[in-house]
Amino acid sequence: MGFVVEQPGILTTVQDEGRYGYEQFGMSPSGPMDLESFHIANLLVGNPKGESALELTIMGPTLRFTKANVVAVTGAPLSPKLNGESCPMNQAFSVSEGDELALGAVQGGCRAYVAFAGGLDVPEVMGSRTTALQNKVGGFQGRRLEKGDEIGFRAPAAALPHMERRRVERKVETAPVREIRVILGPQEDRFTKEGIDTFLSGTYTVTKDFNRMGCRLEGPVIAHKEDGNIISDGMVTGAIQVPTAGQPIIMLAERQTVGGYTKIATVISADLPSVGQCKAGDQIRFRAVEVAEAHRILREKARELEALTERINAPDPEAKAPRCYRATVNGLTFTITLTECDD
Amino acid sequence: MGVYTLHHVGDQAILVEFEPEISIPVSRKVSALKQALEGCRIPGVGELVPTYRALLIHYDPLATDLDALLEAVDRCAKNPDLSKLPKAMVTEIPVLYEGEYALDLEEIAKIENKTVEEIIRIHSQSDYYVYMLGFAPGHPYTARMENPFSFKRRSEPRVKIPGGSIVVQLALSDIIPFDQPCGWNIIGTTPVLACDYRKANPFLLRAGQWIRHVPIDKPTFLEIKRQVELGEYRCRTYEKEA
């Protein structure tokens, strides 16, 4: 098997990358609220980055293992304990049958991830193991985990090669005021110039209405030219709706697929994890960037993930000799020497 | 023809808008653009989501040549080829217009100053165009083109109405797939499922097709419901007459 849920925490669900391809039928993809932390948790335990894992919210679960495996915890900072002893975050470690992993409460941020080598044994629904809480489908019986639930591992591993390399130095954004980058539109022309200025200069506070569907904010009222209604159109994760009352709502993983409110801007993909780490009382300031800039940031993030994968899977851990590469750019050939750092 | 506007929707989607109106001609342009782009097979382009007047095009920025996508969009959106759209199909939706399955039917008749039978006739003797799906999985936004009712929403929405409810206002009629809050009037109930996760394709309907409500009696309702539960029922579907 895998593990039994001793304590479920506030909101713990099975997530993979999401259930894609059904938005035209009204089904949103769901998936992790902090995709970056989720990916890294999987990479640390040797999984494909989109493998099924647990997402926990604010207060994590306590799990008792019924099968040995390798696990990793990433995301919002926690003090996880294995059989009462502190164990690390952002680092793979082995657990044995009978061990108890208590995740505890987040200290800043909102969501954390627990990945298990080989992934979780829940059925695929429409090609995905992700839980869609709103639609009561997928994951473990379409719902949050409860005390006594037992989930199996699909392909557990008592140990993995290079355990010492399965770690990463990282901290998720937990500052009380986050800067979130956005691309204006698609309906920025439905707002007055003052309205746009208000949106980009104001500080917005996350209200108690924040969940996997969306995050309601409160702050300076954003002025429309007329009102906040449109002929309903398609929605993306990160869309910032502003209904007529002028308070923004960031639409997240379990958003609806269409909406009838004006969308002033859209959070860039690279900053969605930072929104996923917001909880009531956190504050957000928005900064507009261009599409090309957002794509550049996204490519950089993708390269970092690739580098992490390569570092974990590199064939020889002892090799520290400088490596020399040749690269040709615009007809000029360069040699590049890379030396691994001691850190 | 040829009028469209393009918006970036964050860094992973673009939106193509046609005229700002809810009409079949505009909806058909959206369908034609969707079909044409599907034919282009541009690497990295993800799901295409049609709505009343717009098509949302998801793409993976790490795998898509955005310029190539925009060029294809321009080529296809300037001249949406309606002639290649598939023939219009009609799916029959059996509906029980009776008792607790049609909570607001008598009230609707009173508002419209007609008999219950006349209301059922109005509701069941038109084809309804499916503009789009959304709000809940499999939930269609449909409308008939004639004989609109005069009322809109109820003054107080209900906290929960059952899945299968057929709800109406003006010329609009929606099938509610799952239990949900709702402010519309319930005219009847269908035993068929707009979304059935047990099926390889869970969704009964798709944007751009038509539906027709067919009145059934209670024994038929219960028999269809039994077949639906066994996964054996198939709605009658046929080509729409021109």
Side-chain angles (χ1 to χ4, degrees):
Chain A
M1 283 303 286
F3 59 80
V4 174
V5 178
E6 301 271 311
Q7 293 297 330
I10 289 179
L11 174 60
T12 305
T13 57
V14 175
Q15 296 295 335
D16 67 12
E17 268 184 320
R19 189 171 284 106
Y20 286 90
Y22 304 99
E23 293 205 43
Q24 61 175 312
F25 300 106
M27 189 155 196
S28 66
S30 188
M33 294 284 279
D34 173 353
L35 191 61
E36 190 175 321
S37 297
F38 166 85
H39 279 158
I40 289 171
N42 271 317
L43 292 178
L44 291 174
V45 298
N47 289 344
K49 65 182 182 174
E51 184 54 81
S52 50
L54 293 184
E55 175 180 279
L56 64 89
T57 315
I58 297 175
M59 179 73 202
T62 297
L63 312 175
R64 181 170 297 281
F65 293 95
T66 54
K67 180 93 189 163
N69 203 349
V70 174
V71 307
V73 182
T74 64
L78 308 151
S79 302
K81 288 195 161 59
L82 187 64
N83 303 322
E85 302 279 320
S86 285
C87 62
M89 286 193 70
N90 302 311
Q91 181 176 345
F93 56 93
S94 295
V95 297
S96 308
E97 186 181 332
D99 282 355
E100 186 185 81
L101 177 64
L103 278 306
V106 302
Q107 300 132 18
C110 185
R111 294 176 173 94
Y113 296 85
V114 190
F116 309 85
L120 297 174
D121 188 17
V122 298
E124 282 194 25
V125 179
M126 296 156 74
S128 166
R129 293 189 168 86
T130 235
T131 313
L133 287 173
Q134 295 302 320
N135 300 327
K136 302 186 177 70
V137 72
F140 186 82
Q141 300 177 7
R143 62 166 172 81
R144 67 179 70 190
L145 297 190
E146 289 168 6
K147 188 178 166 125
D149 289 343
E150 182 164 14
I151 296 184
F153 298 135
R154 292 211 312 286
L160 291 170
H162 316 309
M163 285 298 281
E164 72 289 351
R165 277 195 252 152
R166 298 181 177 278
R167 57 190 297 171
V168 59
E169 288 295 324
R170 79 184 282 269
K171 274 183 81 162
V172 300
E173 181 63 75
T174 57
V177 184
R178 324 271 166 93
E179 182 190 83
I180 300 294
R181 290 164 292 187
V182 299
I183 292 162
L184 287 177
Q187 279 101 32
E188 78 271 32
D189 59 349
R190 297 287 307 271
F191 296 84
T192 62
K193 186 179 176 303
E194 293 72 29
I196 304 273
D197 289 347
T198 305
F199 170 70
L200 291 175
S201 61
T203 300
Y204 289 87
T205 305
V206 177
T207 68
K208 62 180 179 11
D209 288 327
F210 72 103
N211 57 29
R212 289 184 38 82
M213 280 183 88
C215 184
R216 273 178 194 272
L217 306 177
E218 199 172 58
V221 170
I222 300 161
H224 294 86
K225 284 179 183 161
E226 290 168 24
D227 61 23
N229 302 315
I230 57 165
I231 296 177
S232 291
D233 66 12
M235 178 108 67
V236 299
T237 302
I240 304 175
Q241 289 188 329
V242 184
T244 304
Q247 297 291 347
I249 309 166
I250 309 178
M251 307 306 289
L252 297 168
E254 292 201 41
R255 63 189 163 74
Q256 289 173 349
T257 55
V258 297
Y261 296 125
T262 44
K263 296 174 281 290
I264 193 169
T266 310
V267 176
I268 70 168
S269 306
D271 283 356
L272 282 172
S274 185
V275 178
Q277 291 296 353
C278 284
K279 61 176 178 297
D282 289 339
Q283 294 189 311
I284 289 178
R285 295 175 66 89
F286 295 105
R287 182 161 72 81
V289 297
E290 296 297 322
V291 174
E293 169 76 353
H295 285 168
R296 189 191 61 71
I297 297 165
L298 198 62
R299 279 194 295 272
E300 206 170 284
K301 291 265 183 190
R303 271 196 296 271
E304 284 171 19
L305 267 195
E306 273 167 34
L308 173 63
T309 316
E310 280 169 22
R311 182 165 64 74
I312 290 172
N313 298 322
D316 182 7
E318 303 308 319
K320 291 213 172 164
R323 295 177 193 202
C324 194
Y325 297 90
R326 285 163 68 85
T328 304
V329 180
N330 293 336
L332 293 172
T333 300
F334 302 85
T335 57
I336 304 159
T337 306
L338 298 179
T339 313
E340 192 179 328
C341 304
D342 292 308
D343 61 354
Chain B
M1 298 294 267
V3 186
Y4 77 94
T5 47
L6 186 128
H7 302 269
H8 284 282
V9 182
D11 53 15
Q12 303 211 34
I14 54 175
L15 184 75
V16 180
E17 289 179 331
F18 295 105
E19 295 88 328
E21 62 178 45
I22 298 176
S23 73
I24 291 180
V26 171
S27 171
R28 283 170 57 82
K29 285 190 197 178
V30 175
S31 298
L33 174 61
K34 176 170 184 279
Q35 183 170 302
L37 285 175
E38 280 164 353
C40 293
R41 296 177 188 281
I42 303 162
V45 170
E47 194 172 3
L48 309 177
V49 185
T51 49
Y52 289 112
R53 58 168 296 219
L55 184 71
L56 182 67
I57 301 163
H58 290 273
Y59 66 89
D60 174 359
L62 301 176
T64 310
D65 177 346
L66 186 56
D67 291 335
L69 170 60
L70 295 178
E71 195 188 307
V73 164
D74 185 61
R75 201 169 58 239
C76 302
K78 260 200 290 209
N79 265 315
D81 187 355
L82 305 182
S83 67
K84 291 204 182 115
L85 283 175
K87 294 223 167 69
M89 300 301 290
V90 184
T91 297
E92 284 189 354
I93 308 294
V95 181
L96 176 57
Y97 297 93
E98 195 182 292
E100 79 261 35
Y101 297 91
L103 269 189
D104 304 319
L105 182 56
E106 286 184 11
E107 198 178 322
I108 291 171
K110 222 170 277 171
I111 299 170
E112 298 294 300
N113 201 18
K114 289 189 165 64
T115 64
V116 162
E117 290 70 30
E118 283 172 314
I119 296 296
I120 295 173
R121 213 172 301 132
I122 290 172
H123 189 254
S124 62
Q125 290 196 349
S126 289
D127 289 339
Y128 291 69
Y129 184 71
V130 180
Y131 280 107
M132 60 182 195
L133 278 71
F135 190 77
H139 176 280
Y141 289 78
T142 84
R144 61 180 177 272
M145 301 301 134
E146 58 278 316
N147 294 329
F149 294 135
S150 62
F151 57 88
K152 290 190 173 177
R153 289 157 195 262
R154 300 174 62 79
S155 51
E156 284 291 323
R158 291 189 172 97
V159 176
K160 189 169 163 182
I161 68 168
S165 297
I166 306 288
V167 299
V168 293
Q169 64 160 314
L170 304 174
L172 311 178
S173 183
D174 290 355
I175 304 172
I176 302 299
F178 301 102
D179 297 359
Q180 66 168 65
C182 187
W184 295 26
N185 282 300
I186 303 174
I187 197 169
T189 299
T190 181
V192 303
L193 301 174
C195 173
D196 184 349
Y197 292 123
R198 297 171 304 173
K199 294 185 173 172
N201 171 19
F203 307 105
L204 181 63
L205 304 170
R206 58 170 53 235
Q209 71 157 117
W210 297 75
I211 62 172
R212 192 172 181 101
H213 304 100
V214 177
I216 52 170
D217 58 16
K218 182 108 179 253
T220 312
F221 178 91
L222 294 174
E223 171 55 23
I224 294 176
K225 200 174 169 65
R226 190 187 68 83
Q227 291 180 26
V228 166
E229 275 158 18
L230 294 171
E232 289 170 358
Y233 187 78
R234 294 184 83 89
C235 291
R236 199 167 90 86
T237 297
Y238 51 88
E239 237 173 62
K240 183 173 166 61
E241 287 168 32

